[in-house]
Amino acid sequence: MQRTPAADSVRIARENISLAIQACGVADTAHLRRAISFLETAVTDVRRAEAEVLSATPPDPAKLRRETMLLKRQVAIMMRVIDGCAALRRGLSVRLGCTAPAYTSQGRPAGAPPPVSACEMQG
Amino acid sequence: MASNLLAILGTAGSALDAFQQALTVTQNNIGNSSTPGYASQSVNLEAQPLDVASGLAGGVAAGSLINSRDQYAEEQVERQTQTLGEYTAQAQTTGTIQSLFDASGTSGISADLSSLLQSFSAWSATPSDPTAQQSVIDSASTVASDIQGLASSLSQNAQQLDTSIASTTSQINSIAAQVQAYNAQRLNETTPDPGEDATLYSALDNLSQLTSFSTVTQADGTVTVLLGGGSPLVIGSQQYALSATTSASGAEILDSQGNDITSQITSGQLGGMLNTRNRVLGSMMGSSAQTGTLNQFAAALADTVNQILKSGTVASGAGAAAGTALFTYNSPADAASTLAVNPAITAGQLAPVDASGDANGNANQLAALESTPLTNLGGMSLTQYFGQIASDIGAENQTATDNQTSQQQVVAQATSLVNQVSGVSLDDEAVNVLQFQRAYQAAAQLVAAVNNCLESIINLIPVSAG
């Protein structure tokens, strides 16, 4: 089986995260499922890149570093989108009186539901 | 019997009236389905008391109009749009400034500086060669001219931003006038007109792109609009107009009393433009509070080169003429815009000999400026310092562009939320909210997994790379 260079896998992961960001712009479950599917593929891509780097020194380390930094930037954008959208929903859940799960931006459950003011995303 | 018949006819009549009103409202909803700011209405059908003995025949009557607008969702759209407006303006304005700098260093001031340092180096090899001397003066002239050109371009950018800030302020006043007109109309009505309600919310949507504000609906139905810091824009039927002006510290926004409320405008396009004008451009061009990095660079270049040249002599031996300054500028506050080659200097007046008598000591010192840390530049060399100015504006633009990208999605989500929440069962929506929150949690975990994996890859890449 032909091996994919790590830099290419990282680039593909970046494209998948970009698609996930676009899918998050519509507030319906179908789009959100698509976003999650893109993210799952991105996880597979970066894991493949990690395995490739572990198995051999990358042929073009500078390219890999550049691609990695671009992906890191895209991940930061994705984190902001998720945080922003989740904050909107969390605010709505407080308004509707239901207890939505609260979690950190790393996806870990938070100790307690946030206060109302925390639902307002800061720019 | 007759009274019962009349009661039944009365019930039927009031039911017909109620359904007629409901039909009118439905027609109104259909007719306004694409009206900006319109929220669908429904009629609250109220049960009438039923007591046959006392002639109350029951049935339904049309009650108050129910507006499907959800205040939370509307506020979120406004808030997120304000932030998007800020990032969009920042991305556009910093993008324009960034284009004035060459990130590759192959043209513009970076390349000019490199040429000047090379001409010093060539001159140090042949200090008395007139061609090498003239080359130093020509290179210095190019650097000075390009620094002046950059200062001029930044100044034009500042003027364009001042014009845009004034224009945006006028737009804000114009929208505030629409809200004020709504309030004046509302004070004469008992129930809000759906069309006027739509106009109001459309106006507030537009306002949210321009500035940070909050609204309070008063008991009389009027809407009070306050700027981010609490300064009133509209209270009842009174409008408080803003104005824009410029001072030594940059662009300023004044309230109707003439007070400076610039610091209250933190988001929206106006907030973004003020940020670029006063913080980003101010830090480069200088203001009443700071010299400006470009002025510091220009002054450090001129002072350092002049100091070295003036400390030496044009030739070895006693009686040789002292060196002359190569650059001139008016004052540290406008060094970049006034930097020029000393009009009185000639090629023969360049002083290659240092104070100790070394025949090319000064020329060598000047050639070494590329890597010499300068105290007046915080320990950075001239090349490093200018590179830092260029990379700072690049970083500003990148951050603004990334923020704009993510915020566009959040605004789309908030707008989608408004449509979703309007006119649906809150119980259904509560279930929906839980589903979404769990999905976002899953997404956050996946992104965290990508991030962790990335950190691992970064640590595995050989350090010598790129």
Side-chain angles (χ1 to χ4, degrees):
Chain A
M1 187 179 139
Q2 196 176 358
R3 286 158 51 174
T4 310
D8 286 350
S9 296
V10 172
R11 180 181 51 76
I12 294 165
R14 179 158 56 87
E15 283 166 7
N16 275 310
I17 291 185
S18 178
L19 290 169
I21 290 170
Q22 285 168 32
C24 274
V26 185
D28 65 37
T29 44
H31 278 82
L32 200 44
R33 267 198 297 273
R34 281 182 63 197
I36 288 174
S37 168
F38 285 129
L39 289 175
E40 283 168 348
T41 314
V43 172
T44 310
D45 293 330
V46 252
R47 290 211 169 121
R48 187 183 300 126
E50 186 185 31
E52 185 68 24
V53 178
L54 277 169
S55 69
T57 305
D60 188 351
K63 183 184 174 191
L64 177 59
R65 183 176 289 274
R66 199 166 51 244
E67 286 293 345
T68 309
M69 289 305 164
L70 286 172
L71 175 57
K72 215 169 160 45
R73 197 176 148 191
Q74 203 73 358
V75 164
I77 293 174
M78 183 78 225
M79 278 182 169
R80 278 187 58 101
V81 171
I82 292 175
D83 278 352
C85 294
L88 290 173
R89 297 281 163 181
R90 205 153 56 239
L92 188 61
S93 80
V94 171
R95 173 168 169 71
L96 297 176
C98 58
T99 315
Y103 54 89
T104 66
S105 57
Q106 275 72 43
R108 298 189 198 95
V116 177
S117 59
C119 300
E120 296 167 359
M121 188 188 156
Q122 299 299 311
Chain B
M1 184 66 185
S3 69
N4 273 352
L5 185 61
L6 283 173
I8 289 165
L9 284 173
T11 304
S14 87
L16 278 174
D17 281 348
F19 290 120
Q20 178 61 47
Q21 281 194 40
L23 191 61
T24 306
V25 167
T26 304
Q27 282 170 342
N28 215 5
N29 287 342
I30 293 166
N32 286 289
S33 60
S34 56
T35 303
Y38 185 80
S40 62
Q41 317 271 317
S42 58
V43 175
N44 192 12
L45 294 178
E46 292 171 349
Q48 298 299 295
L50 174 64
D51 185 355
V52 179
S54 57
L56 296 171
V60 292
S64 56
L65 275 180
I66 303 167
N67 193 325
S68 69
R69 195 181 299 286
D70 184 276
Q71 201 62 34
Y72 164 79
E74 295 281 353
E75 281 174 13
Q76 287 307 316
V77 172
E78 282 168 12
R79 195 182 298 268
Q80 304 306 333
T81 307
Q82 288 167 21
T83 309
L84 176 60
E86 177 193 349
Y87 292 150
T88 304
Q90 277 178 7
Q92 282 170 353
T93 52
T94 55
T96 310
I97 299 169
Q98 189 193 16
S99 67
L100 300 173
F101 292 84
D102 172 28
S104 68
T106 53
S107 65
I109 292 170
S110 298
D112 295 344
L113 190 59
S114 182
S115 295
L116 176 65
L117 296 170
Q118 279 169 18
S119 72
F120 283 140
S121 184
W123 177 47
S124 72
T126 53
S128 53
D129 176 9
T131 310
Q133 290 168 345
Q134 190 56 48
S135 173
V136 166
I137 292 182
D138 291 346
S139 299
S141 181
T142 307
V143 170
S145 162
D146 279 3
I147 290 175
Q148 264 199 38
L150 178 59
S152 167
S153 297
L154 290 176
S155 179
Q156 279 173 22
N157 256 283
Q159 282 170 17
Q160 281 165 7
L161 268 171
D162 289 342
T163 307
S164 300
I165 286 166
S167 156
T168 307
T169 307
S170 295
Q171 286 181 55
I172 291 169
N173 287 335
S174 160
I175 293 172
Q178 290 176 34
V179 178
Q180 182 252 336
Y182 169 88
N183 283 349
Q185 180 77 20
R186 188 70 183 84
L187 286 170
N188 297 322
E189 296 169 344
T190 48
T191 52
D193 176 75
E196 283 165 15
D197 188 60
T199 307
L200 170 72
Y201 277 89
S202 177
L204 292 177
D205 278 351
N206 293 336
L207 186 61
S208 65
Q209 292 170 30
L210 305 180
T211 186
S212 47
F213 68 94
S214 59
T215 56
V216 181
T217 304
Q218 304 295 344
D220 58 8
T222 61
V223 175
T224 297
V225 184
L226 305 170
L227 285 173
S231 285
L233 204 54
V234 182
I235 298 178
S237 55
Q238 179 71 44
Q239 182 191 347
Y240 300 86
L242 302 178
S243 57
T245 184
T246 49
S247 71
S249 60
E252 286 177 1
I253 303 298
L254 307 178
D255 69 7
S256 58
Q257 305 291 311
N259 301 311
D260 181 5
I261 55 160
T262 313
S263 61
Q264 294 186 19
I265 319 281
T266 52
S267 61
Q269 286 174 22
L270 187 59
M273 285 191 279
L274 285 169
N275 186 297
T276 304
R277 171 67 178 88
N278 295 345
R279 187 181 62 80
V280 179
L281 273 177
S283 73
M284 293 167 85
M285 298 169 57
S287 63
S288 57
Q290 55 193 327
T291 313
T293 50
L294 193 61
N295 287 325
Q296 274 182 311
F297 169 74
L301 170 67
D303 292 348
T304 309
V305 170
N306 291 347
Q307 193 184 353
I308 293 171
L309 288 173
K310 285 163 76 179
S311 69
T313 52
V314 295
S316 301
T324 308
L326 177 60
F327 291 108
T328 60
Y329 62 87
N330 280 357
S331 70
D334 63 0
S337 61
T338 58
L339 185 71
V341 166
N342 181 359
I345 197 169
T346 59
Q349 286 176 307
L350 287 171
V353 184
D354 70 11
S356 68
D358 185 343
N360 61 356
N362 268 359
N364 279 334
Q365 262 194 73
L366 291 167
L369 279 179
E370 180 158 24
S371 55
T372 307
L374 303 177
T375 48
N376 45 0
L377 293 182
M380 279 192 254
S381 71
L382 286 163
T383 313
Q384 283 173 334
Y385 193 81
F386 188 76
Q388 184 72 49
I389 297 175
S391 73
D392 280 352
I393 183 67
E396 288 278 355
N397 182 248
Q398 182 178 309
T399 304
T401 308
D402 286 354
N403 286 341
Q404 184 193 13
T405 305
S406 55
Q407 194 60 23
Q408 276 167 342
Q409 301 309 108
V410 178
V411 168
Q413 183 82 194
T415 309
S416 202
L417 197 66
V418 168
N419 299 331
Q420 207 173 80
V421 171
S422 294
V424 300
S425 149
L426 291 187
D427 289 340
D428 291 348
E429 195 51 39
V431 174
N432 221 351
V433 163
L434 290 171
Q435 282 179 350
F436 269 90
Q437 286 296 90
R438 294 212 170 89
Y440 285 129
Q441 184 177 14
Q445 282 171 343
L446 287 167
V447 175
V450 172
N451 202 34
N452 291 339
C453 219
L454 263 182
E455 293 297 336
S456 161
I457 294 173
I458 289 168
N459 291 330
L460 288 167
I461 301 173
V463 181
S464 58

